[in-house]
Amino acid sequence: DADVTQTPRNRITKTGKRIMLECSQTKGHDRMYWYRQDPGLGLRLIYYSFDVKDINKGEISDGYSVSRQAQAKFSLSLESAIPNQTALYFCATSRGGAGETQYFGPGTRLLVL
Amino acid sequence: RKEVEQDPGPFNVPEGATVAFNCTYSNSASQSFFWYRQDCRKEPKLLMSVYSSGNEDGRFTAQLNRASQYISLLIRDSKLSDSATYLCVVIISSTGNQFYFGTGTSLTVIP
């Protein structure tokens, strides 16, 4: 089984709709992240959380919100989706500490019409 | 100015060739460095960490030059399976240990 899972894997929605992307991990990591990836722009950080009670904005948090329901779960919401939120969204986790690395989920491909 | 800059390529090389990618970073507080590999429409995966003394993993060699603030990745004897996008990643301590990703360098190995 994958250590970091994301649901849904693909989603098509309409402008103005609310949508939630979910991420779960079995790695036991405290730190979780949401990124979006657009062609030519690379990975950009939306939100991150270092533990259940910690939520931090990333580079491009406007239009997004998150919830850290448990150590293993980190959800990303688009309250009112717009077409320029069409992108590939990745969840990632890390252990923290010296030499930490990030482990990514398989991604959610979102299309906003 | 971006924290991490990479030449996007594409690099198209024949099988068996040696190819090198460079990546520059702007923040001297960068403390950890990595190369990730990303296949088309898939998630990034850690290829290797980059240590100050340089490190090698099979056909892959990574080096760090703190004075000039760049890291490099050398791939020897390229295989078709090396075709992917290679992402340079740095962790910057002054930003709460956030990860910063380059936009990636595209490599295609040609038969």
Side-chain angles (χ1 to χ4, degrees), chain A residues 31 33 35 37 40-43 45 48 50 57 88 90 94 99-107 109, chain B residues 2 32 34 36 38 40-46 49 87 91 95-104:
Chain A
R31 302 184 175 191
Y33 310 78
Y35 293 91
Q37 188 173 40
L41 295 178
L43 284 159
L45 182 63
Y48 62 103
F50 281 1
K57 291 183 177 181
L88 181 56
F90 287 107
S94 70
E100 68 172 307
T101 58
Q102 288 191 351
Y103 298 86
F104 285 81
R109 196 166 296 275
Chain B
K2 291 182 179 179
S32 299
F34 309 92
Y36 276 67
Q38 186 174 22
C40 187
R41 301 169 73 89
K42 297 289 184 67
E43 72 272 27
K45 293 183 178 179
L46 178 67
S49 301
L87 306 175
I91 297 178
T95 64
N97 289 347
Q98 284 192 39
F99 286 67
Y100 290 86
F101 290 78
T103 54

Side-chain angles (χ1 to χ4, degrees), chain B residues 4-23:
Chain B
V4 181
E5 302 258 17
Q6 288 184 255
D7 180 348
F11 284 69
N12 300 313
V13 303
E15 261 187 298
T18 295
V19 62
F21 309 136
N22 285 332
C23 165

Side-chain angles (χ1 to χ4, degrees), chain A residues 1-107:
Chain A
D1 288 339
D3 294 319
V4 185
T5 57
Q6 292 182 233
T7 56
R9 295 293 312 279
N10 295 279
R11 180 73 183 267
I12 300 173
T13 192
K14 294 182 179 180
T15 297
K17 293 292 187 181
R18 183 179 187 276
I19 182 169
M20 179 180 288
L21 310 183
E22 300 193 12
C23 176
S24 295
Q25 53 113 348
T26 59
K27 298 186 78 66
H29 289 169
D30 286 326
R31 302 184 175 191
M32 298 186 74
Y33 310 78
W34 275 105
Y35 293 91
R36 66 177 279 176
Q37 188 173 40
D38 301 272
L41 295 178
L43 284 159
R44 292 183 292 167
L45 182 63
I46 305 172
Y47 271 96
Y48 62 103
S49 168
F50 281 1
D51 65 44
V52 175
K53 298 180 181 179
D54 176 73
I55 299 290
N56 303 283
K57 291 183 177 181
E59 178 187 354
I60 53 162
S61 59
D62 287 348
Y64 301 94
S65 62
V66 291
S67 173
R68 185 81 185 267
Q69 303 95 319
Q71 187 206 36
K73 296 184 182 297
F74 193 34
S75 301
L76 175 71
S77 293
L78 287 67
E79 297 300 328
S80 180
I82 56 177
N84 77 1
Q85 292 178 312
T86 293
L88 181 56
Y89 290 84
F90 287 107
C91 173
T93 74
S94 70
R95 175 174 48 83
E100 68 172 307
T101 58
Q102 288 191 351
Y103 298 86
F104 285 81

Side-chain angles (χ1 to χ4, degrees), chain B residues 14-76:
Chain B
E15 261 187 298
T18 295
V19 62
F21 309 136
N22 285 332
C23 165
T24 58
Y25 60 94
S26 59
N27 195 320
S28 60
S30 300
Q31 63 181 36
S32 299
F33 308 87
F34 309 92
W35 284 101
Y36 276 67
R37 171 192 168 127
Q38 186 174 22
D39 293 293
C40 187
R41 301 169 73 89
K42 297 289 184 67
E43 72 272 27
K45 293 183 178 179
L46 178 67
L47 177 66
M48 58 196 304
S49 301
V50 186
Y51 303 121
S52 296
S53 55
N55 49 297
E56 187 173 310
D57 183 2
R59 297 180 295 106
F60 298 83
T61 300
Q63 292 192 316
L64 167 64
N65 184 319
R66 285 193 182 272
S68 300
Q69 296 189 184
Y70 77 84
I71 68 173
S72 64
L73 177 68
L74 182 76
I75 305 175
R76 290 182 300 277

